[in-house]
Amino acid sequence: MTISTPPRPAKRAAYTASSELVPCVLAGDVPAIARMISRAEGGYPEASNALAEIYRHTGRAHIVGITGVPGAGKSTLVSSLIRAFALAGHKVGVIAVDPSSPFSGGAILGDRVRMSDAACAFQCFVRSMATRGHLGGLARSTLQAVDILDAAGYSPIIVETVGVGQDEVEVVTAAHTIVVLSAPGLGDDIQAIKAGILEIADIHAVSKSDKPEAAAMVSALKGMMALGSTGTSAHWPPPVLAVSSLSGERVQDLKDAIDRHWRHLKDSGELAGRQRVMSRARILATARHLFQSKFNQGADELEKHVRAVVDRDTDPSVAAYRLLGWDNEVEAI
């Protein structure tokens, strides 16, 4: 009689300190890059100093934001752009922000599935991140992930947002070049353009150029451009391009437009201004996150103020000041 022994559980690899991963990230080591992004996404306190060190090695990459309404074909377009940039000799990084799963809280990995073939063929780094309830079209740790790819030598770094609307334009403070992708056949052309956050675009792209409705949308966009009501720069009239991600039609033209905008930012001096806007937005976003964390940790203190407001013993403004510890400011209200 043979007695089989159950297999021993595999030993877990020893935890590598984040500080030890930094040189590997700077050398472009893919496993180290993936681990650092996971730690940024998980909010590991131990990784804070390493992320700060990584940030000192950033500032070289061209960050390209791809945004637009749901169903416009952003993921398919990103796959085509990966191919176009890689064939031109670029080391491409992609952060694809997905909606959170209602069950696990993780990313619904549609983007990574669509991009996997292009990523494998051209050694592109693709990472999907869940929004985890964060509004604005990006995840809270998106820009830290961009920092890691920047320090590792990736450029351009393409940031694909979730499908967004007019008030969810956080990508404008996260990227140097904003491509707004619109899709024909989603209803009224003007309403679709309005939903496509027209005013933040550096480049307009209309997907599914093989459809008859695409020409009408291009004409509508150009008409609105002629009114002078759109565009993020007085010296850069946003081009309007009809593209087909499936056939590859004019994807090279879009890639060239992205390159031209990057050169324009550097030659015109506008790049420094965009960098200031991006840095300011990151500081304020981090401050809001720290405040929110402080409130979550002091739940009992918050509840005390909630009871006082419910009982009409104080008003919400005074309660907010006291919650922040700004009691001396209460008298000024």
Side-chain angles (χ1 to χ4, degrees):
M1 177 179 179
T2 303
I3 300 176
S4 60
T5 56
R8 294 182 179 180
K11 291 184 178 180
R12 297 183 62 182
Y15 184 87
T16 303
S18 296
S19 59
E20 297 178 23
L21 292 178
V22 172
C24 301
V25 169
L26 300 181
D29 180 70
V30 171
I33 292 168
R35 291 167 78 178
M36 278 304 307
I37 291 177
S38 294
R39 294 179 189 186
E41 193 172 14
Y44 286 39
E46 181 270 339
S48 297
N49 289 337
L51 290 168
E53 176 61 26
I54 285 171
Y55 182 79
R56 296 186 182 96
H57 296 270
T58 63
R60 297 169 294 176
H62 181 193
I63 305 169
V64 180
I66 306 290
T67 191
V69 297
K74 295 185 296 296
S75 299
T76 308
L77 178 63
V78 170
S79 298
S80 297
L81 284 174
I82 289 172
R83 181 182 300 272
F85 277 109
L87 289 175
H90 293 271
K91 183 180 178 183
V92 187
V94 176
I95 302 295
V97 184
D98 276 335
S100 297
S101 164
F103 303 104
S104 67
I108 300 172
L109 300 178
D111 288 322
R112 193 185 297 179
V113 171
R114 292 186 186 97
M115 298 174 196
S116 59
D117 291 342
C120 292
F122 297 104
Q123 298 183 335
C124 165
F125 186 97
V126 176
R127 179 64 173 254
S128 288
M129 306 184 76
T131 57
R132 300 190 181 186
H134 186 85
L135 300 178
L138 301 179
R140 185 177 61 81
S141 54
T142 299
L143 297 187
Q144 290 178 319
V146 170
D147 289 342
I148 293 165
L149 293 180
D150 187 348
Y154 289 88
S155 183
I157 299 170
I158 299 173
V159 179
E160 181 200 338
T161 74
V162 297
V164 295
Q166 286 175 284
D167 58 344
E168 296 172 315
V169 292
E170 190 176 21
V171 70
V172 78
T173 60
H176 302 116
T177 300
I178 309 297
V179 178
V180 173
L181 183 64
S182 304
L186 295 181
D188 178 71
D189 283 342
I190 301 300
Q191 180 61 33
I193 293 169
K194 179 180 177 183
I197 47 177
L198 180 74
E199 65 278 4
I200 72 168
D202 296 304
I203 299 169
H204 288 286
V206 176
S207 63
K208 306 171 185 176
S209 60
D210 54 318
K211 288 191 173 184
E213 301 94 329
M217 176 162 278
V218 169
S219 297
L221 277 166
K222 289 183 175 179
M224 296 186 74
M225 304 293 294
L227 296 175
S229 59
T230 66
T232 57
S233 169
H235 305 291
W236 173 265
V240 182
L241 302 172
V243 301
S244 173
S245 301
L246 292 178
S247 68
E249 181 183 358
R250 299 204 71 184
V251 171
Q252 182 64 41
D253 292 342
L254 176 58
K255 180 262 180 192
D256 292 342
I258 292 170
D259 285 338
R260 286 198 308 274
H261 185 255
W262 182 231
R263 289 194 298 271
H264 164 77
L265 290 178
K266 292 189 285 188
D267 294 344
S268 67
E270 292 182 25
L271 181 59
R274 293 218 175 186
Q275 295 282 28
R276 286 194 295 273
V277 169
M278 293 164 68
S279 297
R280 184 181 298 113
R282 289 190 68 170
I283 293 169
L284 293 175
T286 302
R288 286 193 295 268
H289 173 68
L290 292 174
F291 272 120
Q292 186 64 51
S293 297
K294 179 180 178 181
F295 295 158
N296 292 340
Q297 292 168 3
D300 293 340
E301 181 71 12
L302 174 60
E303 284 305 312
K304 182 182 74 175
H305 293 292
V306 170
R307 287 193 298 270
V309 170
V310 170
D311 294 339
R312 301 301 191 272
D313 292 333
T314 189
D315 70 277
S317 296
V318 170
Y321 274 86
R322 288 175 173 162
L323 182 62
L324 291 171
W326 296 350
D327 297 79
N328 293 335
E329 305 292 331
V330 172
E331 295 178 1
I333 299 179

